Amino acid sequence: MADTKRFEGYGVVVTGAARGIGAAVARRLAEEGARVLVTDVDPPEAEKTATALREQGLAAEALACDVGDLASVEAAVAHAVHAFGSLDVLVNCAASCTPDTPLFEDGPDDAWARDLDITLTGTYRCCRAALPHLAASGRGAVVNIGSVNALQDFGNHAYSAAKAGLVSLTRTMAAHVAARGVRVNLVVPGTVRTSAWEGRDDELEAMRALYPLGRVGEPADIAAAVAFLASRDAAWVTGTSLTVDGGVTAVNTGFLTATRQNRDA
């Protein structure tokens, strides 16, 4: 459990918070004193996450929210403001990632549209709904969850394009809302051990060699970065993308390995 209480009295909404990174973010902010609304398109799982937090004496509620539906988003924001008295932090974790087809030209329009709508436009919807309340709080902060897919080719064309769009949206929104006292930042995770990798332990183990720090990420690694950017410790930070990826985008491990093997031959 976090030792500090940087979010005492804060009202927080986390999207895509039923499991994985979103659940870890909800936990971290609640541990630091926040009242957290755990939102997700999977209401039973969202309730499980919120219940687990409450059982530890933390302040959490769950609510169904589909970031692809404006009415659902507005209802979640209104619920948080009513329940907590304010909305101080919005963390956009919800995303959609459709596997690529073997041939690029076979990719269906509906899969492309869904990934962009949930991952990029969904974040846009949530920011629009939350902004007046974040501005009113006097300490409002938005933290978006991006991906190293925005920086390099790790597959998943539509998801990657949407995450790249979040980099731009974070930057431009930060500039537009700075005068209203709201900060907007982005965390860029590398591979994180979540339910998306369930049953693929061999792949995760193989990836360890590609990460200079010798392991893939854990949801708590990303939650720690989110907590920093959402807190007053980052009071002079806005419009930035914080890469939390174990060094995978800093070093071409495969290239270095190949060249070293060639020298040693």
Side-chain angles (χ1 to χ4, degrees):
M1 180 175 289
D3 296 328
T4 58
K5 295 289 183 182
R6 292 179 291 184
F7 301 103
E8 196 74 53
Y10 278 54
V12 174
V13 170
V14 184
T15 70
R19 55 181 67 83
I21 291 172
V25 168
R27 174 175 297 279
R28 178 61 184 257
L29 299 187
E31 287 175 346
E32 292 202 36
R35 296 161 295 176
V36 179
L37 185 62
V38 176
T39 74
D40 203 277
V41 291
D42 187 339
E45 287 300 313
E47 184 56 49
K48 284 182 184 178
T49 297
T51 297
L53 296 179
R54 289 195 299 270
E55 287 173 348
Q56 295 181 19
L58 304 175
E61 296 185 19
L63 189 72
C65 179
D66 177 2
V67 301
D69 179 75
L70 180 59
S72 182
V73 168
E74 291 177 338
V77 169
H79 182 99
V81 172
H82 177 75
F84 305 145
S86 68
L87 177 57
D88 305 283
V89 174
L90 167 67
V91 184
N92 291 299
C93 294
S96 173
C97 183
T98 304
D100 291 333
T101 52
L103 293 177
F104 183 89
E105 59 268 31
D106 290 338
D109 281 0
D110 58 348
W112 174 272
R114 175 173 172 75
D115 282 7
L116 265 67
D117 184 58
I118 299 302
T119 308
L120 178 57
T121 309
T123 294
Y124 170 71
R125 290 187 188 99
C126 292
C127 290
R128 285 174 54 201
L131 184 56
H133 306 287
L134 295 171
S137 81
R139 56 191 182 189
V142 176
V143 183
N144 298 322
I145 303 300
S147 171
V148 292
N149 284 51
L151 309 178
Q152 293 182 13
D153 178 21
F154 291 95
N156 304 110
H157 304 298
Y159 173 82
S160 299
K163 291 296 189 180
L166 283 180
V167 175
S168 178
L169 177 63
T170 296
R171 202 166 41 232
T172 57
M173 184 180 170
H176 278 270
V177 303
R180 299 167 69 181
V182 179
R183 298 179 301 104
V184 186
N185 291 292
L186 178 86
V187 176
V188 183
T191 305
V192 177
R193 191 189 307 273
T194 67
S195 59
W197 292 94
E198 189 171 347
R200 300 165 66 186
D201 290 343
D202 289 347
E203 291 180 55
L204 290 176
E205 180 62 25
M207 287 182 190
R208 288 179 59 242
L210 303 178
Y211 281 83
L213 290 182
R215 65 176 177 89
V216 298
E218 300 295 338
D221 294 317
I222 310 308
V226 170
F228 164 67
L229 289 174
S231 77
R232 298 305 295 171
D233 287 342
W236 210 47
V237 180
T238 197
T240 196
S241 294
L242 175 59
T243 304
V244 185
D245 70 347
V248 73
T249 57
V251 180
N252 188 328
T253 308
F255 176 84
L256 290 178
T257 300
T259 55
R260 286 168 182 163
Q261 288 175 342
N262 186 55
R263 286 199 305 266
D264 294 341

